[in-house]
Amino acid sequence: MRTWKGLHIEAEGSGISEPLSYQVNLLGTLLGHVIREQAGEPIFNLVETLRSRLKSGEDGYDAVRRRIGELSMDELFWLIRSYTAFFNLVNEAERQEIIRINHEAEVSETPDSPRSESIMDAVHRLKDRGLSVDGVLDLIGDMDIQPTLTAHPTEARRGSILYKQKQIAALLSRIPLKGELSPWEKDRIFTRIYHEIGLLMTTDDIRGERLQVLDEVDNVLYYCKNAIWETVPRIYHDLRNALKVYYDQVPDMQPFLRYRSWIGGDRDGNPFVTPEVTRQALRAYRETALRNYRDAVVKLWQELSPSDLRVKVSEELLASIQADAAFVSLDQHQLTRYRHEPYRLKLRYMQERIERLLREPDAATYTADAFEEDLLILKRSLETSGLGDIGAYGLLSDLIIRARVFGFHLASLDIRQHSRIHEQAVEELLHLGGVTDRYSDLGEAEKIALLEAELLNPRPLAGCFSDFSDNTENVLGAMAVMREAMERDSGSIGSYIISMTHGVSDMLEAILLAKEANLWRLRDGKVESAVDVVPLFETISDLERAGGLMEDLFNSRVYKKHLAGRGNFQEIMLGYSDSNKDGGFWTANWALQEGHEHLSSVCRKYDIRFRLFHGRGGSVGRGGGRANQAIFSMPPESRNGKLRFTEQGEIISFRYAQNRIARRHLEQIVNAILQTVHETQCDPGCSPVMTNMMTELSRHSMKAYRELIDNPDFWEWYKQLTPIEFIGRLPIASRPVSRKAARDVEFDDLRAIPWVFAWTQTRYSLPGWYGMGTAFSQVIAADPENLSLLREMWETWSFFRTVLDNAQLEMARARLEIAAHYNRLSQSDFHEKIVEDFEQAREVVLKITGQKELLDNHPVIQKSIHLRNPYTDVLNLVQVELLRRWKEAPEAEHGALRHAVFLSINGISAAMQSTG
């Protein structure tokens, strides 16, 4: 048996379990062996020496930095590859730990003590609150949960790396906790992991070219057709099982969980999302769904073998088979062979109908509704055959749920465009229609009056014109694709979202364009509209004005008709990314919380059914954090059971790479929604004293943040010390990081994702906390009694606690002693200003929470950060050295340096488990 020796990783200590410690040690040992074999003993010793030196404390920073400065490019490459591989492996071990903990909790749960944050736990709590089964079913009926997958550039890893991580995860899952493996089995698994690590170390981390939009579609389809496809029925069954346990009821539930996607439809700032690309994306979603259904029908065919010689079969099923024969021809051999197996015969007809759709992608000869009805015919016939349980559980039940959730479109595609693009297109159409040549110069009231008049006018503006500008051609072309898709499958298109909605005219402009594309029409005084038009409020000022804007919109004579045509339903999106970039962490969170409350209140005032759509990113600086805690923190006015939220980049790969983690993620969300549907009880956060305190903190925080970023020297300093130029060139997504070239980008042009990405790389993590130190210190200095109020807010207000917890997570992940080395690339006083705010924030957070150190209340995360820091520190110091060399090297040497910086960005992303 092979003896494994090499890199030893210490993972002992509070917060780290024995199984996780074992797996980290195992992976580290095998990685060390690979490094020795591929790079030699000197490189292995270098890897060990540098991290050991930094582990002893920050006194080693300068010595390690000097040593790194002496290394050749080849040695630097090996350092980056070694540490990056280590983090990719440790991340998989931590996922296995999550799975293990959840599994142990599930094994030990009982009806009296269900697993925390599970669906069983939620129904148990509702039962304890005295809700009847009808009351619970009413809550379920009001639930509408729609995770929305986006392609924003936050997944730095190549698909090849993700695949190898998946293989290693599968092998780790086969290692039992109690040592039941034989020596031969253990050696075989270890050897296979060793081989996968060897392949991981020899696989390029960086893509050869930038992803295309359809590549992004293919990437997300991997998760849709695997983990999401497999997990969604499990969530529905979990809820049915909970109702059976606590209420002895097993109802037939309509969908409360569906998926949306932006990938292939989000054209805001992405010139590569053309109408033809959107058409191809829609086809890819549809074909993936159909292939999954075809495979599922084949599996069901293998299962449903009852013979009509042994069981009674419903007349409905027999009539359905006879009707199928009029449209679908099966060969005589099949008809003869399955003449006494009607279930299999029916499934053969269904399979052939799906095959026909795959051969003719644009056909509508078989619809999702017809497919669902065929499945229900099978289910009802099984009940007639005395086999009802087979239809209620198992493959058929799963397939019915999937048909209801995924349709033939898999995930409804949203279309998003910037309001400025709409204004330009409308201006052109109004000019061609002879209405006005100065639309963009009009005031808001004049624009609204003109737009309403045109919407009430039945004639089109474009008429016979077909020679439009590229901008107008693209807008109308995208809407034509939407119309084609919805004619084939009404569920294929989701909402039409307007970025940077500043006024009522922005909404009416989109509707006028929809009218031109025949997606919206006024007939006999009533509106017929095929799509929901959704405003997106992103900046602090837009969030503050959002409630008033929606009230003006609901009073618009034309928009009232539009809402009536859409069942008096309105979706509203709130942007977490740009609001943070605009106003800083604390102000963005408070503006969003107030926005939730004001928008919900306005919708309720006008008796409008509504759904809030949360544009959350992966990092805390862009609204990240635990989704279920965010749900519990929402104001009572917004708790109506209807929720959309974005999931993107590394968040998709983390949550949906493995079925068990996907299930845990979704059950936590359902748990939180079930407990908060129509929960109107006002927590202490409704206290005017507390809300006034939040407003005051927000004011001070934004002032401090804007003073920093508005300093005329700040932007040049940011560009010099962060790898933002390289992030802009990193081939991780189709969408540009800005509307300008990477080296010429200005603050206002830079998107929020790379803004946060660059701060994460430098270990400042500034978007997740900056401004808090100044704000909290000032309110306490103004009145020392405010500290007691802040402690009370921490103890009693879930919103305040969640925001503060998210902030201290980012502060704990920050590493300002490392950031100081980046600051040397462009010396300024900004670093000292940032450190001062950090120290003030840290002191106040510890006073409020009663902790001795940040994250004492989350020891597992705290320990994980401490264990990672020495390795991450080395990667950071390597990146600093590479950036220094880049500034000093002749252009002929930039190729290798650029690639090395790209690799270091990937490595730090893996270490921080976050990009943007």
Side-chain angles (χ1 to χ4, degrees):
M1 187 176 76
R2 191 169 198 161
T3 302
W4 297 104
K5 298 179 180 178
L7 191 64
H8 178 71
I9 312 300
E10 294 183 6
E12 296 79 13
S14 64
I16 297 296
S17 70
E18 184 179 345
L20 177 58
S21 176
Y22 174 78
Q23 289 201 345
V24 170
N25 275 283
L26 167 65
L27 293 170
T29 299
L30 297 179
L31 173 61
H33 200 89
V34 169
I35 293 170
R36 279 194 175 104
E37 291 197 355
Q38 292 188 3
E41 195 73 26
I43 292 294
F44 171 78
N45 290 334
L46 181 64
V47 170
E48 278 290 271
T49 300
L50 294 181
R51 68 99 183 174
S52 297
R53 185 66 181 269
L54 290 185
K55 191 174 181 181
S56 64
E58 62 179 276
D59 291 344
Y61 287 156
D62 287 333
V64 169
R65 184 177 58 81
R66 286 193 297 270
R67 179 72 181 99
I68 288 173
E70 299 167 354
L71 298 177
S72 67
M73 284 299 297
D74 187 59
E75 290 171 317
L76 291 176
F77 273 118
W78 273 110
L79 275 181
I80 296 169
R81 289 161 64 186
S82 300
Y83 287 114
T84 301
F86 168 70
F87 285 117
N88 284 331
L89 295 171
V90 169
N91 291 343
E92 287 308 319
E94 290 189 347
R95 289 188 184 95
Q96 290 300 310
E97 177 74 351
I98 293 171
I99 291 170
R100 181 192 67 80
I101 291 171
N102 288 331
H103 177 69
E104 287 187 353
E106 190 169 11
V107 168
S108 62
E109 75 176 342
T110 66
D112 292 331
S113 181
R115 186 163 43 94
S116 175
E117 299 181 348
S118 66
I119 293 174
M120 189 82 76
D121 173 49
V123 177
H124 178 248
R125 290 174 183 270
L126 294 175
K127 176 78 171 180
D128 280 352
R129 279 163 47 184
L131 264 73
S132 66
V133 66
D134 289 338
V136 175
L137 291 176
D138 285 343
L139 297 183
I140 295 170
D142 285 337
M143 284 202 308
D144 178 14
I145 304 169
Q146 300 193 28
T148 303
L149 309 170
T150 79
H152 290 334
T154 55
E155 176 53 86
R157 291 167 296 172
R158 287 182 66 205
S160 299
I161 300 297
L162 291 169
Y163 175 78
K164 292 183 174 48
Q165 286 184 257
K166 182 181 179 181
Q167 296 299 105
I168 291 169
L171 292 166
L172 288 174
S173 69
R174 293 172 55 189
I175 302 174
L177 303 179
K178 305 295 184 181
E180 293 92 342
L181 289 177
S182 68
W184 179 86
E185 289 173 316
K186 183 179 294 186
D187 182 62
R188 185 168 180 271
I189 292 173
F190 288 5
T191 300
R192 287 190 61 190
I193 294 175
Y194 163 73
H195 289 156
E196 290 292 340
I197 294 174
L199 290 170
L200 187 70
M201 288 287 288
T202 55
T203 300
D204 285 335
D205 292 289
I206 305 298
R207 299 178 180 93
E209 59 184 18
R210 184 174 291 276
L211 282 175
Q212 303 298 307
V213 177
L214 294 177
D215 295 327
E216 294 170 334
V217 172
D218 287 340
N219 287 347
V220 81
L221 285 176
Y222 169 80
Y223 299 105
C224 288
K225 69 184 181 183
N226 290 300
I228 292 173
W229 181 267
E230 294 298 327
T231 305
V232 165
R234 180 66 185 271
I235 295 299
Y236 281 83
H237 288 311
D238 284 348
L239 185 49
R240 292 179 67 201
N241 291 340
L243 292 169
K244 175 65 175 175
V245 168
Y246 295 111
Y247 292 98
D248 198 27
Q249 297 270 349
V250 186
D252 184 30
M253 291 174 292
Q254 292 302 306
F256 57 82
L257 171 64
R258 294 185 178 91
Y259 275 80
R260 296 269 191 109
S261 176
W262 279 18
I263 306 174
D266 181 11
R267 51 220 332 109
D268 176 20
N270 192 339
F272 306 111
V273 183
T274 64
E276 181 55 32
V277 164
T278 297
R279 182 179 286 110
Q280 293 181 52
L282 286 162
R283 182 170 296 176
Y285 288 113
R286 180 175 172 84
E287 290 183 355
T288 300
L290 291 172
R291 289 192 189 99
N292 271 25
Y293 284 128
R294 177 191 60 193
D295 295 345
V297 166
V298 170
K299 290 181 181 178
L300 191 56
W301 177 90
Q302 292 172 330
E303 179 180 275
L304 293 186
S305 57
S307 167
D308 60 11
L309 299 176
R310 297 195 174 195
V311 298
K312 182 181 179 182
V313 177
S314 73
E315 292 297 326
E316 182 186 32
L317 175 59
L318 297 176
S320 172
I321 292 171
Q322 187 174 3
D324 286 339
F327 296 97
V328 179
S329 296
L330 297 181
D331 63 65
Q332 190 58 45
H333 172 71
Q334 292 187 74
L335 293 172
T336 302
R337 182 174 182 179
Y338 304 122
R339 65 187 184 278
H340 290 300
E341 294 180 323
Y343 292 100
R344 284 185 162 177
L345 193 56
K346 175 64 177 176
L347 287 163
R348 280 297 186 213
Y349 279 117
M350 293 169 66
Q351 181 186 347
E352 180 54 36
R353 286 191 161 199
I354 292 171
E355 295 281 7
R356 181 179 294 180
L357 290 179
L358 285 168
R359 292 192 298 269
E360 304 171 16
D362 294 327
T365 54
Y366 193 37
T367 66
D369 289 342
F371 177 65
E372 180 188 340
E373 180 56 29
D374 281 342
L375 294 172
L376 292 173
I377 288 171
L378 291 170
K379 182 176 183 290
R380 290 192 290 265
S381 186
L382 285 170
E383 293 169 357
T384 301
S385 301
L387 301 169
D389 280 353
I390 293 175
Y393 303 95
L395 296 180
L396 178 57
S397 178
D398 287 353
L399 199 49
I400 291 171
I401 291 169
R402 290 179 179 125
R404 290 173 174 172
V405 170
F406 300 116
F408 279 178
H409 53 271
L410 196 60
S412 298
L413 185 66
D414 284 342
I415 307 297
R416 182 172 76 135
Q417 186 53 278
H418 197 287
S419 60
R420 185 185 64 255
I421 302 298
H422 293 149
E423 182 180 46
Q424 292 169 358
V426 166
E427 182 163 49
E428 180 175 357
L429 290 173
L430 291 172
H431 168 71
L432 292 174
V435 179
T436 180
D437 292 331
R438 50 182 291 272
Y439 173 75
S440 61
D441 295 330
L442 298 177
E444 176 68 3
E446 294 174 292
K447 285 182 177 180
I448 293 171
L450 189 154
L451 293 168
E452 288 185 335
E454 286 302 320
L455 286 167
L456 294 173
N457 190 329
R459 62 112 169 97
L461 284 167
C464 60
F465 289 100
S466 59
D467 187 17
F468 300 119
S469 66
D470 289 344
N471 178 77
T472 302
E473 188 71 42
N474 281 329
V475 172
L476 295 179
M479 290 188 169
V481 172
M482 293 169 59
R483 187 184 64 248
E484 295 167 10
M486 285 189 283
E487 287 172 353
R488 181 176 56 248
D489 180 353
S490 61
S492 61
I493 298 295
S495 303
Y496 193 91
I497 300 165
I498 306 168
S499 296
M500 291 295 171
T501 302
H502 302 306
V504 170
S505 63
D506 292 327
M507 295 287 284
L508 297 180
E509 286 166 0
I511 294 176
L512 183 61
L513 292 165
K515 174 175 174 270
E516 290 296 306
N518 205 27
L519 284 172
W520 190 97
R521 67 179 62 87
L522 188 64
R523 182 174 296 174
D524 297 328
K526 294 183 179 180
V527 166
E528 297 174 2
S529 176
V531 66
D532 291 318
V533 180
V534 177
L536 169 50
F537 301 113
E538 300 174 80
T539 67
I540 298 298
S541 59
D542 284 341
L543 285 167
E544 290 173 345
R545 295 195 303 263
L549 189 155
M550 294 307 297
E551 187 154 15
D552 291 342
L553 191 63
F554 294 156
N555 282 314
S556 162
R557 57 176 177 151
V558 175
Y559 202 77
K560 284 180 182 178
K561 295 178 181 291
H562 169 77
L563 281 175
R566 298 300 297 168
N568 282 326
F569 172 80
Q570 179 67 59
E571 181 172 283
I572 304 169
M573 185 173 181
L574 301 104
Y576 286 66
S577 303
D578 285 287
S579 58
N580 180 288
K581 180 170 175 275
D582 182 35
F585 173 77
W586 200 264
T587 301
N589 276 275
W590 184 232
L592 285 159
Q593 185 76 354
E594 288 195 303
H596 295 162
E597 180 179 344
H598 295 159
L599 289 166
S600 302
S601 296
V602 168
C603 289
R604 292 180 185 278
K605 174 182 175 181
Y606 286 86
D607 199 24
I608 302 296
R609 297 184 303 113
F610 67 95
R611 178 174 58 223
L612 296 183
F613 181 7
H614 304 266
R616 298 164 58 92
S619 63
V620 165
R622 292 184 49 247
R626 294 182 60 190
N628 62 328
Q629 293 303 317
I631 292 167
F632 284 119
S633 299
M634 290 169 62
E637 293 84 355
S638 65
R639 297 173 182 175
N640 63 353
K642 296 171 175 54
L643 178 73
R644 284 188 69 191
F645 53 92
T646 52
E647 301 193 288
Q648 53 193 269
E650 81 277 4
I651 297 301
I652 295 176
S653 58
F654 176 82
R655 289 173 174 168
Y656 297 110
Q658 299 185 44
N659 294 0
R660 290 183 177 181
I661 291 181
R663 181 196 173 201
R664 183 58 174 165
H665 166 56
L666 292 176
E667 73 175 355
Q668 286 177 321
I669 291 169
V670 175
N671 170 287
I673 290 289
L674 268 177
Q675 292 190 63
T676 58
V677 178
H678 306 311
E679 177 55 61
T680 58
Q681 183 176 355
C682 189
D683 62 20
C686 295
S687 158
V689 174
M690 292 187 180
T691 55
N692 288 341
M693 173 56 69
M694 282 298 303
T695 300
E696 191 70 4
L697 288 169
S698 173
R699 184 175 66 84
H700 288 302
S701 177
M702 183 168 177
K703 184 174 184 292
Y705 174 77
R706 293 304 311 193
E707 284 177 353
L708 175 72
I709 66 171
D710 289 337
N711 186 298
D713 298 324
F714 171 81
W715 182 240
E716 192 59 35
W717 174 73
Y718 172 84
K719 289 196 294 183
Q720 290 295 319
L721 81 116
T722 72
I724 187 61
E725 178 181 343
F726 298 89
I727 290 171
R729 299 173 186 271
L730 199 64
I732 61 175
S734 68
R735 188 185 187 211
V737 301
S738 76
R739 295 175 177 85
K740 292 186 178 180
R743 72 174 65 227
D744 299 326
V745 65
E746 297 296 330
F747 176 79
D748 289 340
D749 303 303
L750 184 66
R751 303 190 192 284
I753 293 171
W755 164 256
V756 176
F757 198 163
W759 284 119
T760 304
Q761 289 282 306
T762 60
R763 306 299 297 280
Y764 279 105
S765 297
L766 182 144
W769 57 269
Y770 187 81
M772 284 177 54
T774 301
F776 279 77
S777 297
Q778 287 182 351
V779 299
I780 292 173
D783 184 354
E785 289 300 313
N786 282 336
L787 179 60
S788 298
L789 175 61
L790 292 169
R791 286 171 175 161
E792 183 183 356
M793 292 165 68
W794 160 262
E795 292 168 358
T796 62
W797 190 4
S798 59
F799 166 74
F800 184 85
R801 189 182 186 94
T802 296
V803 175
L804 201 65
D805 262 349
N806 285 339
Q808 69 164 322
L809 170 62
E810 287 301 280
M811 292 174 66
R813 283 154 45 88
R815 193 83 159 153
L816 296 188
E817 51 267 56
I818 285 292
H821 292 273
Y822 284 90
N823 183 56
R824 293 181 182 181
L825 296 169
S826 178
Q827 289 281 7
S828 78
D829 295 332
F830 292 118
H831 177 77
E832 285 69 28
K833 186 178 182 65
I834 293 170
V835 169
E836 180 183 3
D837 192 89
F838 180 92
E839 292 301 332
Q840 288 177 327
R842 179 181 177 277
E843 179 182 354
V844 174
V845 167
L846 295 181
K847 285 181 179 178
I848 292 171
T849 62
Q851 301 172 137
K852 292 183 178 179
E853 296 293 340
L854 295 173
L855 291 185
D856 276 351
N857 59 337
H858 295 288
V860 174
I861 300 175
Q862 183 190 64
K863 186 65 177 178
S864 175
I865 293 171
H866 290 166
L867 288 169
R868 287 167 179 265
N869 274 340
Y871 307 90
T872 316
D873 291 348
V874 177
L875 277 174
N876 281 121
L877 293 176
V878 168
Q879 187 179 84
V880 170
E881 173 63 18
L882 292 170
L883 293 174
R884 185 192 67 77
R885 293 187 188 185
W886 172 268
K887 295 176 187 299
E888 298 175 359
E891 192 168 339
E893 298 177 16
H894 276 190
L897 282 166
R898 181 183 296 110
H899 188 67
V901 175
F902 283 171
L903 292 176
S904 72
I905 291 171
N906 268 11
I908 295 170
S909 297
M912 300 295 289
Q913 293 182 287
S914 175
T915 52

